[in-house]
Amino acid sequence: MERYNAREAEPKWQAAWDAAGLFVARRDPDRPKYYVLEMFPYPSGRIHMGHVRNYTMGDLVARYKRARGFSVLHPMGWDAFGLPAENAAIERGVNPADWTYANIAEMRAQMKPLGFSLDWAREFATCDPEYYGQQQALFLDFLEAGFVYRKASVVNWDPVDMTVLANEQVIDGKGWRSGAEVERRELTQWFFRISDMAEELLGALDGLEAWPEKVRLMQANWIGKSRGLEFSFPTQGAPEGHATLQMYTTRPDTFLGATFAAISADHPLAKALAAERPDVAAFCEECRRGATNEEALEKAEKIGLDTGITVTNPFAPETPLPVFVANFVLMEYGTGAIYGCPAHDQRDLDFARKYGLAVRRVFVPADAPVDAADEYLGQEEEAFVPPKTEPVRYVRPLAGGARMTGQEAIDAAIAKAEGEGVGQGATQFRLRDWGAGRQRFWGAPIPVVHCPECGIVPEKRENLPIKLPDDPSFDRPGNALDWHPTWRHVACPRCGADALRETDTMDTFVDSSWYFARFTSPRAETPTIAEDAGYWMNVDQYIGGIEHAILHLLYSRFFARAMIATGHLPETAAEPFDALFTQGMVTHETYSTRDARGRDVWHSPDEVRRSDGGAALADGTPVAIGPSIKMSKSKKNVVDPADIVDQFGADTARWFVMSDSPPERDVEWTAAGAEAAWKHLQRVWRLGQEALAAGEGVAEETDALRRATHRAIADVTEAIEGFAFNKAVAALYSFANAATKSRAPRAERLAAMKVMAQLMQPMTPHLAEELWSALGGAGFVTDAPWPELDETLLVADTVTLPIQINGKRRADISVPVDADRAAVEAAVLTDATVQKWLDGAAPRKLIVVPGRIVNVVL
RNA sequence: GCGGGCGUGAUGGAACUGGUAGACAUACCGGACUUAAAAUCCGGAGGCUUAACCGCCGUGCGGGUUCGAGUCCCGCCGCCCGCACCA
């Protein structure tokens, strides 16, 4: 019997599908449409197993939906702008465009042999001028509609390389290339007004029922709506223009526990003080050292400088509060000024103890002894942060009674502050505006011109795309667009005077915030075409990594709304992704040895021979086996999909990444697992051959094989619909086991194997096609409708009920499926094991859950 | 630090809405076939105890709710992801 030869079959079927145009997406008014999209890749140069897993899932869905009669759009493109290309340019002197397009060609060549049912005619890269030119048009529309503006904001600045650093490029507060201490520096930048949409973006999350709950929760927390009090306290000793200090708090019920105030180093008052006082200036400088990311700020030691200024709390005027400049207050949130309530906030408590400030209690736990209500907290005690929903005992309420929930106390405090004209209830969002510009070469140029006469002038539409120059030079630090001899020098589009082009390029998140819309009409002369966007949008199923749960998805939701407002998308596309699935990573064991200095040296899986108890290099050196973690170059625990395709074929890789682990969880790649997948595919092929060679067979086995077939149809269908591809694989294993045992007549076995080909088609399309054709199936199995389920073949006559005695399973009985409660009870009571346990007594209770379980309580 | 998630045999995992824990697979053990090996086919198996049945224990740890908890509640522990200029 001939083996299944993937190396021959796979390219053959790929060519045949291509020639038949099976995957070309067409608007078809007679069929429901289905748009399945996987997050498009960054063209790093090689595809990895994570890509294979992601695109196999999408392909499985696309193929299944086609079989179900949908007109399917399943496109692919490249998220092609970004830092790595620029780094390659700096390190190796290559042109970012050449580097990127070479990578794309390489990755496309690795992707095609996997047999994904993609409409390659729609392919584009975000660095194609045809794409980013349309993005520039969108930018101009957004500018006109007021979605874009400029303001000053803080960046990580490398003083040696004279460049802005990404957070990723800041290692322990130092620039990754220069090693210089990073500064925070203020630049005027482009922003998208996403915070204006905070309420809408938050509220609409409720409608996203086919999104993972955790993603919705993460987005909601990111948007961070809070209700609080905005108020101002009069100051003493502050410079002119700062007679009051504006503050915001989410816990106004702790007003009377305030013992200090703190402002950000970027606060106008801090800046005014710094101008006069060297100590304040020096301290503000110190606060600006280190990275800008929230994690570093939160983890950094809390430091402050007493300015000598005080503010008066109108509800406790007898003790003015000292005002500190502090490194943990963010200018971006609230008003950049807070008051500290050390008794009820651990961070404030640490700060108060460090600087010898009073710690005044406002409330105690509801069940605390009365003497715990001392005014001051003991040195050993931790801050008491109560839940908002449970009542606590207020020993120093601003308003309201002694026993309130936090929320009641907050509401009472806001009412009182408003009544006395001290402050105003206010809603705040944590969400900040989206910094849209980057001081980098390899991105879409922002299409505006700075004119000395007219100021900021949008480019003329007919000049789009504003292309990047193809001769950049990276021999000096900073943005290559700034140093280009001619590129930025243009005439003002409005007055014609000598003017300068904007050299900031767009954040790469902009590129990925609308590519899904562009796929509906990728060659159009406008960003979208109403007919196409109207037909294909929304994305019915979006699949990608959890790491994009917040930013990419939130920005895309914003963009969709802005595109509706500027006429580029239909009203119905405000939420562009109907369903979202976040898949887990592909992991692998790590292998390491130690060098002479005791440092780890990592080894790739193909350098290592794995045996029962351990692993060793080819020369016999033993290798330490580390935990299975995400495949990464630095740990060398990478398996190249191309090698797997060479060795076993695409179907083996596809089958393996769909098996075992649930799609949302990590899957561990193992050589043994890959081999097992390959063996199973061979077995399925063999089953087909055996069915073809089968003789008359045993007629009595017909029913059992039919039942197994329809059980498989039911289970695989349900598993695919529920995104439980590992269970679909398990159901197909079971079906193969049943088919192996079956001695049914030839015609029955052939029919069963045809269903096998249909059910396997979404996962292993090449094998399925080869099998289908060998069995004499008509046309392509890829083009065949999904098998029909006969539900009558799923029902059994009898059911086995487990019997528990006091909640522990002791026996089981077999009863007819339609047995009523009395019949079940009678059967239970006559069961030998039950009688043994009852020992002549009657049960205290008999719980019968029809069709599921019986519990006898003694 | 803040936000989110996960934890089940040797291993990946299954278990519908609180109802037989361990489906399916890997690795392992035994058998058939073979001069032999590979491949293939058949069978076994959570742990302890036992000749076998029986029994006891068992879903990260400690409590709780329930006739019944992997699943629900409270408190811990460990690991992973995100934190706004990586994509």
Side-chain angles (χ1 to χ4, degrees), chain A residues 263-284:
Chain A
I263 59 173
S264 162
D266 300 314
H267 193 278
L269 174 56
K271 286 179 178 171
L273 287 171
E276 298 165 6
R277 289 173 45 185
D279 62 325
V280 177
F283 184 78
C284 289

Side-chain angles (χ1 to χ4, degrees), chain A residues 390-394 397-410 412:
Chain A
E390 276 165 41
V392 291
R393 185 147 54 85
Y394 275 75
L398 181 64
R403 211 184 137 81
M404 293 179 284
T405 66
Q407 194 58 59
E408 286 162 1
I410 290 166

Side-chain angles (χ1 to χ4, degrees), chain A residues 130-193:
Chain A
E130 294 73 26
Y131 181 79
Y132 70 69
Q134 298 303 329
Q135 186 164 302
Q136 290 167 338
L138 280 181
F139 187 93
L140 293 179
D141 286 347
F142 286 10
L143 186 61
E144 207 170 295
F147 290 119
V148 184
Y149 71 103
R150 277 161 67 82
K151 72 167 179 184
S153 83
V154 176
V155 296
N156 298 312
W157 181 258
D158 185 322
V160 172
D161 274 352
M162 303 290 282
T163 185
V164 177
L165 296 178
N167 284 330
E168 194 187 55
Q169 299 172 316
V170 179
I171 314 290
D172 295 329
K174 300 193 170 60
W176 68 333
R177 232 189 278 277
S178 70
E181 190 132 325
V182 170
E183 297 168 6
R184 269 183 271 166
R185 179 180 271 216
E186 216 168 62
L187 290 182
T188 299
Q189 304 235 65
W190 292 95
F191 280 86
F192 287 117
R193 231 181 266 283

Side-chain angles (χ1 to χ4, degrees), chain A residues 162-299:
Chain A
M162 303 290 282
T163 185
V164 177
L165 296 178
N167 284 330
E168 194 187 55
Q169 299 172 316
V170 179
I171 314 290
D172 295 329
K174 300 193 170 60
W176 68 333
R177 232 189 278 277
S178 70
E181 190 132 325
V182 170
E183 297 168 6
R184 269 183 271 166
R185 179 180 271 216
E186 216 168 62
L187 290 182
T188 299
Q189 304 235 65
W190 292 95
F191 280 86
F192 287 117
R193 231 181 266 283
I194 188 172
S195 64
D196 277 7
M197 250 182 234
E199 188 81 64
E200 154 74 12
L201 290 168
L202 179 68
L205 287 172
D206 287 340
L208 298 176
E209 280 158 21
W211 282 38
E213 184 59 37
K214 62 177 172 183
V215 174
R216 292 194 281 168
L217 198 59
M218 284 161 86
Q219 292 223 351
N221 288 335
W222 186 262
I223 294 168
K225 182 178 180 175
S226 67
R227 176 84 184 152
L229 184 73
E230 210 172 81
F231 58 95
S232 54
F233 282 174
T235 60
Q236 296 87 43
E240 197 153 326
H242 296 279
T244 60
L245 185 60
Q246 186 86 9
M247 289 189 259
Y248 175 77
T249 178
T250 57
R251 292 303 299 250
D253 57 325
T254 63
F255 238 77
L256 298 180
T259 56
F260 70 94
I263 59 173
S264 162
D266 300 314
H267 193 278
L269 174 56
K271 286 179 178 171
L273 287 171
E276 298 165 6
R277 289 173 45 185
D279 62 325
V280 177
F283 184 78
C284 289
E285 270 315 299
E286 196 181 339
C287 288
R288 287 195 192 98
R289 270 205 277 279
T292 57
N293 60 318
E294 201 169 306
E295 183 192 3
L297 291 173
E298 291 288 332
K299 276 190 182 163

Side-chain angles (χ1 to χ4, degrees), chain A residues 463-496:
Chain A
N463 292 343
L464 301 185
I466 304 302
K467 290 188 194 175
L468 288 167
D470 47 23
D471 56 348
S473 157
F474 294 91
D475 48 13
R476 56 192 287 192
N479 182 349
L481 289 177
D482 284 332
W483 312 132
H484 193 275
T486 56
W487 187 80
R488 58 181 318 200
H489 300 281
V490 289
C492 170
R494 189 172 296 156
C495 71

Side-chain angles (χ1 to χ4, degrees), chain A residues 652-680:
Chain A
T652 294
R654 296 173 58 123
W655 181 259
F656 181 81
V657 294
M658 290 299 99
S659 51
D660 290 345
S661 286
E664 67 275 16
R665 263 200 254 174
D666 292 353
V667 63
E668 183 182 8
W669 184 276
T670 60
E675 189 138 340
W678 181 81
K679 281 183 189 173
H680 180 71

Side-chain angles (χ1 to χ4, degrees), chain A residues 732-753:
Chain A
L732 286 164
Y733 272 119
S734 295
F735 184 27
N737 289 342
T740 303
K741 289 191 175 75
S742 177
R743 296 288 162 262
R746 181 170 186 271
E748 291 301 328
R749 293 177 66 182
L750 289 176
M753 290 315 292

